[in-house]
């Protein structure tokens, strides 16, 4: 039997922006089909994604984070490590692991930028839901 539940991981850093991805996801997937997990930041998402996917309970795992330049090290390093880890989690488990992990070229903590990225995360959450549903249908058709 194909699972009909979805795992949604969201990083707590910039939660006011990242949480909007879950809002977008809920526009296509009912909340009662989604288990939500919080992690401190993006770097923690790949391991949890792999662990959740390995349970066999989920049709897909979605991971959302906002990786911005924090000034200590290059945010591109973190973003690349996260996306590589998420891809590996999906490949290792055979469960789709989808990324809503965004790395803007320019971000400043202004109301204008926050508004732009909140709206963008809603759209990306909706796109992740659409991808999860589409992949599920395609894989079910292949199995039939």
């Amino acid at each position: 039997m194909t699972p009909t539940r979805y795992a949604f991981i969201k990083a707590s850093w910039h939660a006011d922006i990242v949480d909007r991805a879950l809002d977008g996801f809920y526009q296509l997937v009912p909340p009662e089909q989604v288990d939500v997990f919080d992690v401190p930041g993006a770097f923690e998402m790949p391991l949890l994604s792999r662990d959740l996917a390995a349970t066999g309970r989920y049709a897909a795992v979605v991971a959302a984070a906002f990786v911005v330049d924090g000034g200590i090290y290059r945010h591109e390093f973190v973003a690349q490590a996260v996306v590589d880890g998420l891809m590996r989690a999906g490949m290792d488990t055979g469960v789709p692991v989808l990324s809503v992990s965004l790395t803007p070229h320019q971000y400043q903590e202004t109301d204008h930028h926050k508004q732009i990225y909140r709206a963008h995360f809603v759209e990306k959450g909706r796109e992740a839901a659409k991808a999860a549903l589409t992949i599920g249908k395609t894989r079910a058709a292949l199995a039939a």
Side-chain angles (χ1 to χ4, degrees):
M1 188 162 123
T2 303
T4 58
R5 296 198 63 70
Y6 299 88
F8 197 101
I9 302 168
K10 53 191 183 66
S12 298
W13 202 56
H14 288 288
D16 59 317
I17 294 171
V18 174
D19 289 359
R20 303 297 66 82
L22 184 58
D23 296 340
F25 195 80
Y26 283 158
Q27 290 177 5
L28 297 175
V29 177
E32 54 274 4
Q33 287 181 253
V34 182
D35 294 332
V36 179
F37 302 88
D38 290 305
V39 294
F43 210 71
E44 293 79 21
M45 295 189 314
L47 180 61
L48 184 57
S49 295
R50 186 206 58 198
D51 292 349
L52 290 168
T55 67
R57 292 183 212 145
Y58 301 106
V61 176
V62 178
F66 193 45
V67 181
V68 299
D69 189 353
I72 296 171
Y73 48 80
R74 300 291 300 178
H75 63 291
E76 292 93 347
F77 163 77
V78 174
Q80 188 65 54
V82 168
V83 171
D84 288 348
L86 294 174
M87 179 61 72
R88 181 175 171 195
M91 297 300 289
D92 288 353
T93 62
V95 174
V97 176
L98 306 169
S99 175
V100 182
S101 302
L102 304 179
T103 306
H105 290 290
Q106 299 289 326
Y107 175 72
Q108 297 172 357
E109 295 221 24
T110 64
D111 289 339
H112 177 69
H113 270 195
K114 287 179 183 179
Q115 182 180 7
I116 289 169
Y117 287 104
R118 283 183 189 123
H120 192 60
F121 266 77
V122 171
E123 177 60 29
K124 291 300 176 185
R126 197 170 30 248
E127 289 175 4
K130 185 185 250 185
L133 294 168
T134 301
I135 292 167
K137 287 178 187 173
T138 301
R139 293 182 92 192
L142 288 172

